[in-house]
Amino acid sequence: MKYTGISEIGLYRDENQDSISVVETETALLAILCDGIGGGNAGSIASKMVVTLLKESFIQVSSISDKESAIAWFSGTIAEINRTLYHESLVVPEYRGMGTTLVACVILADDAIAFNIGDSRLYTYTDSKLNLLTEDQTYAYEMYLRNEIELEEIQTHPKRHVLMNAVGIDEHISYDTIHIPEKWDYILMSSDGLHGYVSDELILKALEIEDILNKRKALISLAYKAGGYDNVSVILIEGDDYDKNN
């Protein structure tokens, strides 16, 4: 299976608070993307901590072979990681208020499943179509769900970046579970340094380019052309069957 990922600081930030990782075991692949929040370097600490702890747990667990076991693993692991971050934010003054978004994808032999906390995103690219599978957990998106604004208004709403959920900001954690359709050509995971500034139409055009590395290069280039105002991270995974493509 082909995959690639990159995380860049952008043009204006002093620090990259995004973190990414892709790790494989004998039965599954885990892709993780986090976008940290918090003053000072707290966001960076939060995103790195979540990626590291989630990756270490995934490697140690050998029983993830289907959706049910993936969900059980993630549920228990993210609850523990969340408590760790929350405790650190209470006892370490520099970490007060730290947290991070998280989008994670587990690819199995015959299936794929994802989990979302915050406003990082997961798309599939299938038959030349871009499909957004996650819902942004932001104030603006909640306004849309309450029929207070239209869907197209979310992209420019002043509260589009106000998070309603993140890892580490509360003692208890909730998350969305996304059952990925069986057929997909690519999975794209991104921080809002990409999708917060680049339209889905332009993202789709980048994914139409041949070769996974050229697609990745085009996506990052779009983020910089849009201003490069934020850290930008992407993970691309090619293929729709782990065993077949591994």
Side-chain angles (χ1 to χ4, degrees), residues 6-20:
I6 191 169
S7 183
E8 297 199 357
I9 194 170
L11 298 175
Y12 294 95
R13 296 297 178 96
D14 296 326
E15 180 185 29
N16 188 356
Q17 296 195 339
D18 290 0
S19 296
I20 65 171

Side-chain angles (χ1 to χ4, degrees), residues 143-157:
M143 290 179 68
Y144 161 70
L145 294 177
R146 296 194 298 265
N147 297 313
E148 295 176 6
I149 61 174
E150 298 297 324
L151 182 62
E152 56 270 18
E153 293 181 76
I154 295 175
Q155 190 73 11
T156 56
H157 197 277

Side-chain angles (χ1 to χ4, degrees), residues 213-231:
L213 293 179
N214 288 334
K215 294 177 194 289
R216 188 192 78 180
K217 182 179 179 181
L219 290 168
I220 297 298
S221 177
L222 285 171
Y224 279 92
K225 286 179 180 178
Y229 298 109
D230 199 357
N231 308 145

Side-chain angles (χ1 to χ4, degrees), residues 1 7 16 33 44 53 63-64 75 78 82 88 93 121-122 142 146 154 188 201-202 207 234 243:
M1 171 171 288
S7 183
N16 188 356
L33 187 150
S44 174
L53 293 175
S63 58
I64 300 175
S75 178
I78 198 60
N82 181 72
E88 288 291 306
R121 289 184 178 179
L122 185 145
E142 287 197 359
R146 296 194 298 265
I154 295 175
L188 166 65
E201 289 77 13
L202 289 176
L207 293 177
V234 300
D243 279 348

Side-chain angles (χ1 to χ4, degrees), residues 2-245:
K2 289 184 180 180
Y3 53 82
T4 183
I6 191 169
S7 183
E8 297 199 357
I9 194 170
L11 298 175
Y12 294 95
R13 296 297 178 96
D14 296 326
E15 180 185 29
N16 188 356
Q17 296 195 339
D18 290 0
S19 296
I20 65 171
S21 184
V22 181
V23 60
E24 295 182 77
T25 67
E26 292 184 359
T27 58
L29 177 146
L30 171 68
I32 316 163
L33 187 150
C34 290
D35 181 355
I37 58 173
N41 66 348
S44 174
I45 295 295
S47 67
K48 289 176 182 176
M49 189 181 299
V50 170
V51 167
T52 299
L53 293 175
L54 205 58
K55 180 174 65 174
E56 288 176 352
S57 172
F58 186 77
I59 292 171
Q60 292 170 4
V61 176
S62 59
S63 58
I64 300 175
S65 57
D66 53 29
K67 278 186 176 181
E68 290 71 24
S69 57
I71 292 171
W73 163 77
F74 183 82
S75 178
T77 303
I78 198 60
E80 183 177 345
I81 291 173
N82 181 72
R83 285 192 295 269
T84 299
L85 256 70
Y86 183 68
H87 175 74
E88 288 291 306
S89 72
L90 294 179
V91 300
V92 181
E94 309 91 84
Y95 296 168
R96 194 170 302 278
M98 77 171 178
T100 183
T101 72
L102 165 66
V103 61
C105 179
V106 179
I107 300 177
L108 306 153
D110 301 313
D111 228 330
I113 192 165
F115 309 96
N116 181 55
I117 301 168
D119 65 347
S120 294
R121 289 184 178 179
L122 185 145
Y123 301 83
T124 56
Y125 174 74
T126 309
D127 297 330
S128 299
K129 294 180 180 179
L130 184 69
N131 307 292
L132 175 60
L133 300 189
T134 52
E135 293 183 351
D136 295 347
Q137 296 173 353
T138 62
Y139 190 87
Y141 194 84
E142 287 197 359
M143 290 179 68
Y144 161 70
L145 294 177
R146 296 194 298 265
N147 297 313
E148 295 176 6
I149 61 174
E150 298 297 324
L151 182 62
E152 56 270 18
E153 293 181 76
I154 295 175
Q155 190 73 11
T156 56
H157 197 277
K159 293 188 176 181
R160 65 190 182 277
H161 296 304
V162 178
L163 289 176
M164 303 304 290
N165 192 21
V167 185
I169 61 171
D170 192 84
E171 188 174 4
H172 304 285
I173 189 71
S174 62
Y175 59 87
D176 291 339
T177 301
I178 299 100
H179 296 271
I180 298 174
E182 289 185 8
K183 188 178 185 301
W184 50 271
D185 299 319
Y186 285 88
I187 285 175
L188 166 65
M189 299 161 64
S190 65
S191 65
D192 65 352
L194 176 68
H195 59 258
Y197 300 93
V198 179
S199 68
D200 284 358
E201 289 77 13
L202 289 176
I203 292 174
L204 175 60
K205 287 183 179 180
L207 293 177
E208 291 171 347
I209 298 171
E210 291 188 5
D211 185 73
I212 190 170
L213 293 179
N214 288 334
K215 294 177 194 289
R216 188 192 78 180
K217 182 179 179 181
L219 290 168
I220 297 298
S221 177
L222 285 171
Y224 279 92
K225 286 179 180 178
Y229 298 109
D230 199 357
N231 308 145
V232 55
S233 300
V234 300
I235 294 175
L236 274 169
I237 305 169
E238 179 181 342
D240 61 359
D241 188 310
Y242 185 79
D243 279 348
K244 188 183 299 182
N245 292 281

